[in-house]
Amino acid sequence: MRTLVYLCFAATLVGAAAPTSESARHIDLERYYFASPAEEIKDRQALDGLFADLQKQKGKVAQSPKALLSAFQLDERIQSSYARHEAYLRLRCRINRKDGSYCADDGALNEMADAQTAFLTLEVAAMAPSLVTSFLQREPHLVPYRYFINDAQRNHAHLLAKPQEDVLGEYAAEVSGWQYGFYDDLVSAVNFGTVKTAQGALDVRRQRNAISVNADQRVREEAFHKRYAALSTVRDPVAFSLLHT
């Protein structure tokens, strides 16, 4: 699930105006995320504490409705905090890819999140349907998590044994985390060119959104062809990254 979300997020950033320097950014990170990089690091310690609390519930999730609800509520807090940190680090990474610290921290955070939360899906998936029904009847506050429960149980047959899933979660970054940076580097090196409009020239990659709403059909069509002509020059390595996702 995270892999799919990250791929969509990365594609959105590439398609939109992707800044390459601190001065060129389009998002006020201090306003919407953290006041400073130091503040983000400090706040990440609280997320580490949430991971530790969730780990204490490993093996106990299916013991009672209260235990299951507690695990879900804690995971919800984790996902909310994690999403904020992950978006901040990913944007910092894209603003300045030469500073590898943000990219490395983002990869480490993704790996940590997968490794620390994977057991919850496994334990929920292993619950007998009759037990799930009983829990839902005895604890109404579990009802909002019904989709997560059903999804985990539906995919139970596709999950590995717990030791293997633990290893997969631990090495998630190596398995499915390297493709994003690889794709970004490829696309950043390609010259997509520009298209002339009544308002001036627009960059096919960085101003893709502005082009897509341009009233002139010629502008949109020319940009469409230029975009795919540029992408075709790196089609083989892009296909390589997709095949390994």
Side-chain angles (χ1 to χ4, degrees), residues 27-62:
I27 297 177
D28 189 341
L29 298 179
E30 286 72 25
R31 177 182 179 184
Y32 295 107
Y33 291 96
F34 299 96
S36 67
E39 187 68 23
E40 186 275 328
I41 293 175
K42 180 180 178 181
D43 192 79
R44 212 186 309 163
Q45 295 176 354
L47 178 57
D48 291 338
L50 292 176
F51 282 138
D53 289 340
L54 184 63
Q55 282 292 306
K56 294 176 183 177
Q57 302 195 36
K58 184 181 288 188
K60 305 174 183 178
V61 170

Side-chain angles (χ1 to χ4, degrees), residues 136-184:
L136 290 170
Q137 291 174 345
R138 293 160 55 190
E139 177 51 80
H141 290 98
L142 282 172
V143 174
Y145 301 99
R146 186 193 296 272
Y147 177 83
F148 180 95
I149 296 172
N150 290 342
D151 190 57
Q153 298 223 309
R154 183 170 56 251
N155 292 322
H156 190 198
H158 305 289
L159 297 174
L160 300 172
K162 187 178 181 304
Q164 285 74 34
E165 283 289 345
D166 287 344
V167 171
L168 187 62
E170 184 177 351
Y171 291 99
E174 287 78 4
V175 174
S176 60
W178 58 269
Q179 293 91 336
Y180 317 111
F182 181 68
Y183 178 77
D184 283 349

